[in-house]
Amino acid sequence: MATTKSTPLSETDLEMLYLIHDAFRRDSERLTRVAEHGVPEDPATHDAVLLGWHGFSTTLHHHHTIEDEMFWPLMRTRLQDEPDDLEVLDAMEAEHALLDPSLAAVEEAFDDREHGPDVLAERLDTVVHTLRSHLAHEEKDALPLMARTITAREVQTLTKDAIRSVSRSELREATPYLFEGAPEDRTRRLLRQLPLPVRLLHRFWWNPQYRRVRRWE
Ligand SMILES: [Fe+2]
């Protein structure tokens, strides 16, 4: 298999991707609770659940777009003669494509106050199941493949490009979303990988603001 000459990826270089996956797993548990108990009637809790859902679904969508448009294409250029490895990337794209309509179906159920509650639990279960199996598949097959095909420097460049590809308001939401509930040492380590302005904005502005707003329960 073709490999690049410079330093291969370490677990630390991949840690940002694991942080992102862990944020989605955290919310998949919340989605399971909403599926079990339904969306509460009182307007404040209802809005909090919708706001939580919005953060989850938008960040997930951005993350998949970034992988499909930036990470997998670069890996494909190194794997042209490796059909089995290319199949892994095809599977990643196919699984992402499966998730989008399942997110839209939940969105529809939230919007339909009359019939939505009847189908919400089933649709949320589909999202949770599809997401969890996708994350597990990616971590088992695609991330080790990434570690073999692209370098630490390339991941840093892709991360910077990814940050530039989202709008300032999306970044303001996504950054505290991803770090919510993360252990302090991991947060400190990973924040250091972000550009200084993002780090400062997160620490003094975005994160305090994010924490003041009620989400989910
Ligand atoms: Fe993915």
Side-chain angles (χ1 to χ4, degrees):
M1 185 194 75
T3 51
T4 48
K5 284 183 189 130
S6 35
T7 339
L9 285 189
S10 66
E11 279 295 306
T12 317
D13 299 312
L14 290 172
E15 201 181 355
M16 186 65 88
L17 286 170
Y18 282 105
L19 174 93
I20 296 171
H21 284 192
D22 288 347
F24 298 141
R25 286 199 178 90
R26 170 199 75 212
D27 279 359
S28 77
E29 281 166 28
R30 287 164 160 161
L31 294 175
T32 302
R33 281 200 293 279
V34 176
E36 279 165 8
H37 305 295
V39 182
E41 286 286 313
D42 79 283
T45 316
H46 184 269
D47 289 354
V49 170
L50 287 195
L51 204 60
W53 164 262
H54 181 74
F56 161 79
S57 60
T58 332
T59 315
L60 182 64
H61 178 76
H62 285 316
H63 170 62
H64 286 166
T65 307
I66 287 163
E67 285 183 333
D68 290 342
E69 292 180 359
M70 298 180 181
F71 282 78
W72 311 148
L74 178 61
M75 289 166 70
R76 278 181 192 282
T77 63
R78 310 266 156 78
L79 296 166
Q80 279 162 5
D81 303 320
E82 307 291 335
D84 291 351
D85 292 338
L86 287 172
E87 254 176 43
V88 171
L89 300 183
D90 291 343
M92 291 302 110
E93 283 177 21
E95 290 168 18
H96 289 173
L98 263 185
L99 272 160
D100 276 340
S102 71
L103 294 176
V106 169
E107 204 84 44
E108 259 172 44
F110 277 132
D111 285 346
D112 182 350
R113 297 292 279 259
E114 203 186 330
H115 307 290
D118 302 335
V119 291
L120 184 65
E122 197 189 328
R123 293 182 184 186
L124 284 171
D125 285 343
T126 303
V127 167
V128 168
H129 176 80
T130 316
L131 175 65
R132 283 184 184 160
S133 70
H134 166 65
L135 296 176
H137 188 193
E138 185 170 318
E139 288 171 5
K140 182 176 151 288
D141 292 336
L143 297 191
L145 193 59
M146 186 183 287
R148 286 195 283 120
T149 46
I150 60 182
T151 65
R153 176 164 296 194
E154 284 170 334
V155 165
Q156 284 158 16
T157 307
L158 287 170
T159 304
K160 283 191 190 130
D161 290 347
I163 290 171
R164 268 196 290 268
S165 76
V166 295
S167 71
R168 175 62 74 93
S169 68
E170 287 160 349
L171 201 59
R172 187 185 64 210
E173 287 296 311
T175 312
Y177 171 88
L178 294 174
F179 283 97
E180 187 193 334
E184 252 179 57
D185 54 336
R186 188 184 216 192
T187 301
R188 235 179 295 123
R189 208 165 44 239
L190 286 175
L191 278 175
R192 279 201 293 266
Q193 294 183 15
L194 298 178
L196 183 65
V198 173
R199 233 184 296 166
L200 291 174
L201 283 165
H202 170 77
R203 184 164 168 210
F204 294 110
W205 180 247
W206 298 344
N207 198 41
Q209 210 175 37
Y210 181 90
R211 291 163 83 124
R212 273 199 298 273
V213 177
R214 184 178 166 201
R215 286 177 177 81
W216 300 107
E217 287 95 348

